[in-house]
Amino acid sequence: MFAITVECLTKKFGDFTAVNNLSFNIKKGEVFGLLGPNGAGKTTIMSMLSTMLKPSSGKASVNGFDIQKNEDDVRKSIGIVFQDQSLDEELTAYENMDFHGRLYHIPKDIRQKKIMELLKLVELDEKKDNIVKTYSGGMRRRLEIARGLLHEPKVLFLDEPTLGLDPQTRNLLWDYIDKLNKEKGISIILTTHYMEEADKLCHRIAIIDQGEIVAMDTSENLKNDIGGNVITIISSGSTELYSVLRSLPEIESIEVHDSSLHIGLQNAETHVAQMVTMASEHGIPIDSISIHKPTLEDVFLYFTGRSIREEEASGKERMRMMQRTRR
Amino acid sequence: MDIVYTIWLRNVKRFVRSKSRLLGSLGMPVFFLLVLGFGLNSVVVLPGMEQGYIGFIIPGIISMSVLFTSVFSGIQIIWDKQFGFLKETLVAPVSRLEIMLGQTFGGASTAVIQGLMIFVLSLFMGLKISSISGFAIAIIFMVLIGISFTAFGIAIASRMDDMHGFQLIMNFVIFPIFGLSGALFPIDSLPSGVRFLTLLDPLTYGVEGIRYGLLGSSQIDPAISFVVLSGFTVMMVIVGSYLFRKISI
């Protein structure tokens, strides 16, 4: 039995295809990550699965309910933490929770009990009567997660749950999410562009680029795909070096990216010397060289041909961050 | 009904809590009341008006305050849209009609409270109400203005993405509705062209209804006022819910 099934899901905005012919399944109790740069279509996927947006074509179901035919049942089965804040800042934490509970028709006695239970879980019970305006970013995020859990959803949607939070709060949130999944068995689908987040939390990861899934597997398998090791060479003649090295039989993957060269292969230690010799034979200078185990960053680069970091500094996010600080 | 109540409750809570907004929105009506009322009271003589010009415009200023507060409450869903709170309500398993109705009644309630505050102030400025039933009639008309124009605000907000267009709406829609409504002048004395425009303005019937209730006399039959304003209210709620249903974030 699957928590979410998606078949050939497509969303077009005019001529622009935001999500292109996507298919995947998420098992019950699984933490599934959509990893990709901003604008890759992650939020569009989430919006469609949460019935906020109608797909252009294709089918999907959440908790066994069709997202187009059974909107209300889908909505009852899911809890959502949106990318941007969605709290009423002029109400208290308790009132925000209470509002949510009433919207989901939770009877009064159960509602009051659950609200206190969840506020305790996210350690906000002592501040429950403070106006949300006075809360820090991390506290707001925790409150939103608590709120998303109030109606006991079967599937939790987390859209960039830790965006704009400091590392300490981020670690805390990761622990909460992990605990929720383990103790309550809730299936979780989350989007992120933080490699570390995907690596730490997700059982399986789908790498999304320009509306398509370019790779989907466990973090471990994805890393193995590009070889046991990665050698990164920084050189001013990286393109020449590329043409020199590409013919080596032990190389499993090779990518040039500006002045750096990323090479995936087994037993890198035994081949480094040979590569350096070849470079100096052709008179190509090497600025630095490093060997490491592949990270998701390498995986992303391998599958999309681009580094996620350069996507990250896009204008959209900077604007959003500005908006956050202004609030 | 639970949902409508929940959303109504949130609106009223917010309203009661934001003291600055409450006082701020009283400013303009009080200003009009003082400047026009006391300023023109001695120079303007209306035939058949025992309470003078100030008595004449009090119902107009009450309508104004209800009008402005309700349109503003309706348009406020743009803030909810921008600050993300609207999403929280839209993904809940509730119908959009319920959300829209809750929002409308919430906005109308705050608008009527605002109107009543002007009413209380007016009592200090010499307003004498004719009867309790007259007061009840005035409240009914305030409620109708409140509901219709909150729905009107929601209809506008459903088509707007941010607050940039707010000034435009204020200057080219809301002020003309107020200005043409006969809140500040008697309709009978107008040239026929302007009079026609005045009779097209739904607020005119609200002002006249409140005037009948508070002063005991009006230029439009209160039954006609009631029918026209109720019709307008129903129409606005339908248009508002239709447009709100199609809102996308």
Side-chain angles (χ1 to χ4, degrees):
Chain A
M1 186 64 186
F2 292 111
I4 292 178
T5 61
V6 175
E7 277 172 58
C8 311
L9 202 64
T10 300
K11 178 70 194 178
K12 289 188 174 133
F13 297 104
D15 287 340
F16 175 68
T17 308
V19 172
N20 192 8
N21 205 15
L22 229 56
S23 300
F24 60 89
N25 294 321
I26 299 175
K27 290 189 274 285
K28 280 220 162 117
E30 188 174 27
V31 182
F32 187 83
L34 298 172
L35 179 71
N38 287 317
K42 293 171 297 185
T43 300
T44 311
I45 298 169
M46 294 290 242
S47 298
M48 283 192 283
L49 292 178
S50 59
T51 74
M52 303 274 291
L53 207 62
K54 295 255 172 293
S56 305
S57 65
K59 263 171 49 177
S61 68
V62 176
N63 195 28
F65 302 112
D66 189 288
I67 57 162
Q68 295 192 73
K69 292 180 198 132
N70 260 330
E71 278 194 6
D72 259 23
D73 287 319
V74 172
R75 290 174 182 194
K76 276 177 205 151
S77 321
I78 60 175
I80 309 179
V81 176
F82 297 103
Q83 186 166 357
D84 297 307
Q85 186 198 307
S86 64
L87 296 164
D88 187 332
E89 298 195 350
E90 288 179 31
L91 298 182
T92 65
Y94 188 89
E95 284 167 340
N96 265 292
M97 297 287 279
D98 191 58
F99 180 85
H100 185 89
R102 286 167 187 265
L103 281 188
Y104 285 78
H105 303 284
I106 305 171
K108 194 174 178 193
D109 43 335
I110 301 175
R111 190 168 71 220
Q112 287 168 339
K113 212 178 105 229
K114 284 233 62 171
I115 291 176
M116 286 317 295
E117 218 176 274
L118 284 166
L119 285 178
K120 202 163 276 167
L121 175 79
V122 295
E123 293 165 24
L124 287 174
D125 49 325
E126 277 163 27
K127 300 211 158 128
K128 71 181 168 64
D129 293 323
N130 291 10
I131 304 270
V132 172
K133 219 183 251 175
T134 63
Y135 277 31
S136 69
M139 288 160 78
R140 289 173 189 211
R141 222 56 185 143
R142 264 146 53 200
L143 178 58
E144 285 185 299
I145 292 179
R147 186 179 67 178
L149 294 170
L150 186 59
H151 55 285
E152 303 192 328
K154 300 279 180 294
V155 187
L156 187 62
F157 287 62
L158 302 172
D159 197 355
E160 302 275 1
T162 61
L163 186 72
L165 298 180
D166 58 85
Q168 200 188 352
T169 318
R170 184 173 296 164
N171 270 316
L172 256 172
L173 270 178
W174 286 347
D175 290 343
Y176 283 132
I177 294 171
D178 200 43
K179 203 161 93 185
L180 279 173
N181 172 254
K182 291 215 170 77
E183 287 177 8
K184 303 200 183 241
I186 298 176
S187 320
I188 297 175
I189 174 166
L190 68 88
T191 72
T192 184
H193 63 269
Y194 294 120
M195 299 294 173
E196 206 190 338
E197 186 161 289
D199 211 2
K200 192 163 170 178
L201 284 176
C202 302
H203 301 147
R204 272 193 312 148
I205 295 166
I207 295 180
I208 312 274
D209 191 37
Q210 296 175 348
E212 292 180 36
I213 293 184
V214 290
M216 180 167 60
D217 213 325
T218 62
S219 166
E220 213 47 48
N221 287 347
L222 284 173
K223 288 176 196 164
N224 287 340
D225 271 359
I226 55 172
N229 294 109
V230 173
I231 301 180
T232 304
I233 303 174
I234 312 280
S235 160
S236 49
S238 57
T239 31
E240 293 101 82
L241 193 57
Y242 172 74
S243 40
V244 170
L245 294 181
R246 60 191 280 186
S247 54
L248 281 178
E250 356 7 302
I251 290 180
E252 289 170 12
S253 72
I254 180 161
E255 298 273 341
V256 203
H257 189 249
D258 290 340
S259 61
S260 62
L261 200 61
H262 301 263
I263 302 159
L265 73 176
Q266 307 290 340
N267 307 322
E269 295 83 355
T270 51
H271 302 296
V272 166
Q274 184 190 359
M275 287 178 191
V276 174
T277 324
M278 282 171 78
S280 59
E281 271 170 14
H282 289 80
I284 303 165
I286 288 179
D287 296 331
S288 85
I289 190 160
S290 69
I291 303 173
H292 57 98
K293 285 271 172 209
T295 62
L296 274 180
E297 183 83 28
D298 299 309
V299 174
F300 188 82
L301 184 65
Y302 173 72
F303 282 109
T304 66
R306 273 168 305 139
S307 138
I308 201 167
R309 288 221 178 87
E310 63 193 60
E311 300 281 337
E312 219 175 83
S314 76
K316 200 176 164 197
E317 179 177 27
R318 253 182 280 128
M319 258 164 57
R320 199 164 53 227
M321 300 300 283
M322 260 165 62
Q323 234 178 3
R324 268 167 196 255
T325 42
R326 254 192 294 140
R327 279 178 196 166
Chain B
M1 230 29 231
D2 275 6
I3 304 302
V4 177
Y5 169 72
T6 302
I7 293 167
W8 175 87
L9 187 67
R10 166 185 178 244
N11 275 283
V12 174
K13 265 187 187 162
R14 281 176 67 103
F15 175 75
V16 173
R17 241 166 244 180
S18 91
K19 304 272 183 309
S20 60
R21 215 181 84 205
L22 208 136
L23 285 175
S25 50
L26 277 179
M28 180 116 83
V30 169
F31 177 80
F32 266 74
L33 204 54
L34 291 177
V35 170
L36 291 180
F38 288 126
L40 295 177
N41 203 22
S42 49
V43 276
V44 181
V45 180
L46 299 173
M49 266 303 301
E50 289 152 29
Q51 303 201 22
Y53 184 63
I54 190 160
F56 178 79
I57 61 164
I58 283 171
I61 302 301
I62 292 178
S63 316
M64 171 194 185
S65 134
V66 177
L67 169 76
F68 279 49
T69 314
S70 53
V71 171
F72 191 72
S73 313
I75 287 191
Q76 248 197 334
I77 60 166
I78 294 180
W79 285 126
D80 284 348
K81 211 195 273 189
Q82 276 189 324
F83 285 103
F85 188 74
L86 193 60
K87 270 192 221 165
E88 149 79 359
T89 27
L90 291 185
V91 291
V94 298
S95 75
R96 294 208 170 176
L97 182 66
E98 287 172 297
I99 302 174
M100 144 77 189
L101 289 179
Q103 204 75 32
T104 305
F105 293 139
S109 304
T110 58
V112 170
I113 295 173
Q114 200 78 254
L116 285 175
M117 287 163 80
I118 298 290
F119 169 76
V120 171
L121 279 175
S122 309
L123 289 177
F124 290 105
M125 296 172 73
L127 174 76
K128 292 174 199 68
I129 51 170
S130 50
S131 64
I132 295 295
S133 60
F135 177 64
I137 291 174
I139 299 247
I140 291 172
F141 278 96
M142 277 155 76
V143 169
L144 286 176
I145 299 175
I147 294 178
S148 56
F149 282 99
T150 310
F152 178 73
I154 292 176
I156 292 174
S158 303
R159 303 306 297 270
M160 273 163 62
D161 287 328
D162 49 41
M163 290 302 263
H164 294 312
F166 183 65
Q167 276 303 328
L168 201 77
I169 302 288
M170 268 316 194
N171 290 335
F172 290 97
V173 183
I174 306 308
F175 268 108
I177 285 178
F178 167 65
L180 282 173
S181 70
L184 303 177
F185 45 78
I187 311 167
D188 287 344
S189 56
L190 294 172
S192 61
V194 184
R195 187 154 186 259
F196 175 71
L197 284 178
T198 308
L199 291 177
L200 277 184
D201 182 348
L203 189 65
T204 303
Y205 303 92
V207 172
E208 284 294 298
I210 296 176
R211 197 166 275 152
Y212 175 81
L214 294 184
L215 306 177
S217 67
S218 63
Q219 290 161 306
I220 300 176
D221 187 326
I224 296 178
S225 296
F226 180 75
V227 170
V228 173
L229 194 58
S230 306
F232 176 68
T233 305
V234 171
M235 196 177 87
M236 276 301 118
V237 170
I238 292 173
V239 172
S241 6
Y242 174 73
L243 292 177
F244 185 72
R245 207 164 55 86
K246 303 215 298 186
I247 208 169
S248 62
I249 327 173

